[in-house]
């Protein structure tokens, strides 16, 4: 059976997540517009910095600070390659955290479709205030895990 667009892009986000280099979470993000992939990102260390899988995680307040989140990496790819993300949709394997939500708002993402809940009331409130739709993938018609 041919997948719908949401299922197709979420499957690609899952595949992108397999590149993650922090063992605490494997997260992937695909940013699209008009059914075209603009950028992808996964959680991993910044350029020229050792990855968690090589030297271990750097944990502060129960968060790995060595790792850049998947959504932020997808946004950085747009910036590095001159790709505007305004008016686009982000497909994320995990619900974006507060900082990633703010970045997604700032670049003009209009909708975020996520698979794994990571509920953050402040992030959800800011996304709502900014008019960014936050959609749990499981609620979409035809969505398959």
């Amino acid at each position: 059976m041919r997948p719908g667009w949401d299922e197709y892009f979420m499957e690609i986000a899952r595949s992108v997540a397999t590149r993650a280099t922090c063992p605490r979470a494997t997260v992937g993000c695909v940013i699209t517009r008009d059914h075209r992939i603009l950028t992808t990102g996964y959680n991993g260390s910044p350029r020229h910095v050792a990855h968690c899988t090589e030297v271990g995680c750097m944990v502060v307040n129960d968060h790995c600070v060595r790792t850049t989140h998947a959504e932020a990496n997808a946004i950085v790819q747009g910036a590095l390659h001159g790709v505007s993300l305004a008016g686009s949709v982000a497909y994320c394997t995990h619900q974006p955290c507060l900082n990633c939500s703010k970045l997604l708002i700032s670049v003009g993402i209009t909708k975020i479709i996520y698979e794994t809940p990571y509920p953050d009331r402040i992030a959800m409130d800011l996304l709502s205030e900014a008019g960014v739709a936050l959609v749990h993938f499981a609620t979409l018609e035809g969505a398959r895990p």
Side-chain angles (χ1 to χ4, degrees):
M1 175 188 264
R2 185 176 187 209
W5 288 111
D6 293 328
E7 186 176 1
Y8 173 70
F9 289 128
M10 187 58 73
E11 186 60 35
I12 293 171
R14 290 182 198 120
S15 183
V16 169
T18 66
R19 295 275 309 150
T21 61
C22 182
R24 293 173 54 85
T26 55
V27 182
C29 177
V30 175
I31 299 179
T32 71
R33 185 173 49 239
D34 299 328
H35 301 140
R36 301 287 182 255
I37 296 172
L38 302 176
T39 64
T40 66
Y42 53 86
N43 56 322
S45 297
R47 182 184 287 183
H48 307 299
V49 174
H51 292 286
C52 298
T53 52
E54 300 166 341
V55 297
C57 294
M58 189 181 299
V59 179
V60 176
N61 296 326
D62 201 35
H63 288 82
C64 182
V65 296
R66 176 177 295 285
T67 297
T68 302
H69 289 188
E71 301 89 341
N73 273 326
I75 291 167
V76 166
Q77 289 304 307
L80 284 173
H81 300 287
V83 177
S84 171
L85 303 179
S88 59
V89 176
Y91 290 84
C92 306
T93 59
H94 293 66
Q95 185 175 344
C97 70
L98 174 59
N99 286 328
C100 288
S101 293
K102 291 188 288 185
L103 291 172
L104 292 166
I105 290 167
S106 293
V107 298
I109 299 290
T110 60
K111 183 192 289 186
I112 300 166
I113 299 174
Y114 69 93
E115 187 165 50
T116 302
Y118 181 80
D120 181 318
R121 177 51 45 201
I122 297 171
M124 292 163 60
D125 289 347
L126 288 178
L127 290 165
S128 176
E129 181 180 340
V132 177
L134 182 63
V135 180
H136 189 195
F137 179 69
T139 66
L140 296 173
E141 185 175 327
R144 287 184 278 172

